[in-house]
Amino acid sequence: MSKYFGTDGFRGEANVDLTVDHAFKIGKFLGWYFGKEHRAQIAIGKDTRRSSYMYECALSAGITAAGGDAYLLHVTTTPSVSYIVRADNMDCGVMISASHNPFHDNGIKLMNGHGEKMDDAMIAEIEHYLDGDMEIPLVTAEKIGRTIDYSSGRNRYIGYLISLATHSYKDKRIGLDCANGSTWQLAKSIFDALGAETFVINNEPDGLNINENAGSTHIEYLQRFVLEKHLDVGFAFDGDGDRCLAVDEKGEVVDGDAIMYICARHMFEHGRLGDTKVVTTIMSNIGLYKALDELGIGYEKTAVGDRYVYENMRDNGNLIGGEQSGHIIFGKYANTGDGLLTAIKVMQVMLDRKLPLSALTAPLTIYPQLLKNVVVDDKDGTLNDPKVQAAADAVTESLHGEGRILLRKSGTEPVLRVMVEATTQALCEEEVDSVIQVMKETGHLVKVK
């Protein structure tokens, strides 16, 4: 486990866990490292948090002080930074965002020259510098770098997404929840350009309201909006625009598993999936696997995190993957989850098949799922306790293939996550509690969070 960086960047409360000094040093390291043989070119994007502007200035100062050029995309999405880094052959990219977290948190996500998440070896070097284990000189005179307004790059990304749409959206009433975040300027312009009648909520960011009762983590607001406005479909994004959840015309949520199902099925039936597999995490619903089995579509499971999904796709040539949360990766078009691209791909299936979204998800049965977090005395000791293992095995046996149990460790807390999928919510509750009770009887349980 890295000291500062997790699977999705360096994240924490602004100027508490992640300070402006950290940002300056990260920028300085990047400008120096990539500037050894030429002047470094580094793209920077940010979301709408108040602190994002502070970090943008600090990163730019660090980059230019080490001799690099900082290309400012301004408020934009994580996938747009990935696209520009690849398209314009830049050395790396930086996205300032804490994704779906509240406004007082922020984060710094680093991307390599392919628009992929920065590799662990590079992160380790940056952390050594942050800990004062090395020195980086300041440059002088003509070697000092430049800060360049690069909003044109963001506009080219918008054009790229528009070019991927295969249909006009004329006469379609589409709702967009921008979470008061990165998509607030992009989403409506894209859907308007494609001919839709767009209805937008949560597109008035003030620096403090990002994700506040909005976006993909509060989908209930878009559900009501779709029904009130009699919309054909709604799409909800998160703070940095790499997630998308949908709402069908009946107001029902279409999560990442359902989106993967309808898109993978469409690709398969049109011969575009080939012999590749759908890549999920271990948290995807058993209903998705059963539906894919019926279609004869293969799948693979990774650890939780879109980073692991992408690595599997890249290494094995798989074309689609993602998470329940709405991180969907279309490998032919992007190296990261992209909420706006996901919405365009869902629209493509709806318009190709001339069916409402509810009809496209009808063959998919999503099983009820319950997850409880429990604080334990020893994560590994609890998981390896024969009585706990026996309790989990008993749940598996009692479900007769119509559900499953998953015990998973938290990476940062003394917490185990107990998750059960079953045919009813009541059965989920019963089976989860049966395992937690055994943890209590064996002396491992501290409390249920």
Side-chain angles (χ1 to χ4, degrees):
M1 181 65 64
S2 297
K3 181 176 179 180
Y4 302 104
F5 286 81
T7 58
D8 205 25
F10 187 163
R11 188 179 295 185
E13 185 173 351
N15 270 348
V16 177
D17 307 298
L18 171 61
T19 69
V20 70
D21 293 327
H22 287 132
F24 175 79
K25 288 181 177 179
I26 291 169
K28 188 178 175 186
F29 180 94
L30 296 175
W32 165 78
Y33 182 89
F34 290 106
K36 294 176 182 178
E37 297 181 359
H38 60 268
R39 185 181 291 274
Q41 295 182 314
I42 300 169
I44 301 177
K46 66 176 184 283
D47 69 16
T48 56
R49 294 163 213 270
R50 179 174 292 179
S51 61
S52 292
Y53 295 79
M54 171 182 74
Y55 291 124
E56 179 187 56
C57 292
L59 282 160
S60 299
I63 291 167
T64 54
D69 288 344
Y71 289 76
L72 305 186
L73 297 168
H74 305 290
V75 173
T76 193
T77 64
T78 293
S80 75
V81 178
S82 174
Y83 169 78
I84 286 300
V85 168
R86 297 193 324 272
D88 290 359
N89 296 312
M90 293 192 175
D91 293 295
C92 70
V94 185
M95 180 64 187
I96 305 163
S97 177
S99 187
H100 57 280
N101 286 25
F103 83 92
H104 50 72
D105 290 342
N106 216 324
I108 294 176
K109 303 182 183 184
L110 303 180
M111 305 172 199
N112 64 22
H114 301 291
E116 305 164 334
K117 291 186 178 182
M118 197 74 79
D119 64 80
D120 292 339
M122 172 69 81
I123 294 300
E125 288 195 53
I126 295 172
E127 295 202 341
H128 286 313
Y129 177 56
L130 292 177
D131 281 336
D133 295 338
M134 59 183 296
E135 292 291 333
I136 293 176
L138 297 173
V139 300
T140 59
E142 75 280 359
K143 292 183 179 179
I144 293 173
R146 301 171 299 162
T147 298
I148 299 164
D149 183 320
Y150 211 56
S151 54
S152 60
R154 181 184 60 193
N155 295 337
R156 284 193 289 108
Y157 166 74
I158 292 173
Y160 171 67
L161 289 184
I162 291 172
S163 75
L164 297 179
T166 57
H167 298 270
S168 166
Y169 298 169
K170 185 180 179 182
D171 299 326
K172 292 296 179 184
R173 295 167 57 85
I174 299 175
L176 304 170
D177 184 341
C178 296
N180 291 312
S182 290
T183 61
W184 81 280
Q185 290 177 305
L186 280 67
K188 181 172 172 56
S189 62
I190 290 169
F191 281 82
D192 282 350
L194 290 169
E197 186 177 0
T198 55
F199 299 80
V200 188
I201 56 174
N202 299 313
N203 65 329
E204 297 180 355
D206 60 11
L208 309 179
N209 61 0
I210 187 171
N211 300 314
E212 183 180 7
N213 296 322
S216 61
T217 54
H218 296 279
I219 194 71
E220 63 275 12
Y221 293 94
L222 181 60
Q223 288 179 272
R224 289 201 293 267
F225 189 66
V226 167
L227 292 175
E228 289 169 0
K229 297 292 185 180
H230 306 289
L231 305 182
D232 295 303
V233 65
F235 298 105
F237 310 105
D238 67 337
D240 68 328
D242 61 0
R243 297 189 194 188
C244 172
L245 295 182
V247 173
D248 70 22
E249 77 286 358
K250 298 179 180 180
E252 296 296 322
V253 177
V254 179
D255 69 6
D257 284 346
I259 289 171
M260 282 191 285
Y261 166 76
I262 65 171
C263 291
R265 177 178 180 175
H266 193 64
M267 293 166 67
F268 177 73
E269 291 176 344
H270 286 77
R272 294 197 293 267
L273 198 60
D275 59 358
T276 67
K277 298 178 180 179
V278 178
V279 183
T280 73
T281 75
I282 57 174
M283 293 301 291
S284 278
N285 195 276
I286 190 175
L288 172 61
Y289 301 126
K290 287 180 174 290
L292 294 176
D293 284 338
E294 289 182 8
L295 293 169
I297 298 174
Y299 48 82
E300 296 193 12
K301 302 177 185 179
T302 74
V304 175
D306 62 312
R307 174 177 193 154
Y308 304 113
V309 172
Y310 173 71
E311 288 173 354
N312 179 291
M313 293 174 64
R314 179 196 61 199
D315 295 344
N316 298 295
N318 293 316
L319 298 176
I320 183 171
E323 300 182 285
Q324 279 180 326
S325 60
H327 278 117
I328 311 298
I329 303 173
F330 293 89
K332 183 178 178 180
Y333 307 101
N335 290 344
T336 184
D338 188 330
L340 293 167
L341 173 60
T342 297
I344 288 170
K345 286 298 179 183
V346 170
M347 289 300 301
Q348 179 179 338
V349 181
M350 290 175 58
L351 293 167
D352 276 352
R353 298 191 63 184
K354 298 180 174 60
L355 290 172
L357 189 52
S358 63
L360 296 175
T361 60
L364 175 67
T365 300
I366 295 294
Y367 281 53
Q369 188 180 80
L370 177 68
L371 183 147
K372 290 188 179 181
N373 294 319
V374 294
V375 180
V376 294
D377 59 347
D378 181 334
K379 290 183 287 188
D380 289 319
T382 305
L383 286 176
N384 293 325
D385 189 306
K387 291 184 178 179
V388 175
Q389 291 178 345
D393 291 341
V395 171
T396 298
E397 185 175 349
S398 70
L399 293 174
H400 303 294
E402 290 298 313
R404 63 172 178 147
I405 182 170
L406 179 66
L407 303 181
R408 186 168 67 89
K409 294 187 293 185
S410 166
T412 57
E413 301 175 281
V415 166
L416 290 179
R417 311 192 196 285
V418 184
M419 189 274 284
V420 168
E421 290 169 348
T423 52
T424 68
Q425 197 67 38
L427 186 55
C428 289
E429 188 87 33
E430 177 185 333
E431 300 291 12
V432 167
D433 288 345
S434 71
V435 175
I436 293 176
Q437 179 62 28
V438 173
M439 293 179 182
K440 180 179 180 180
E441 293 170 356
T442 53
H444 294 295
L445 183 67
V446 176
K447 66 177 180 178
V448 180
K449 290 189 75 175

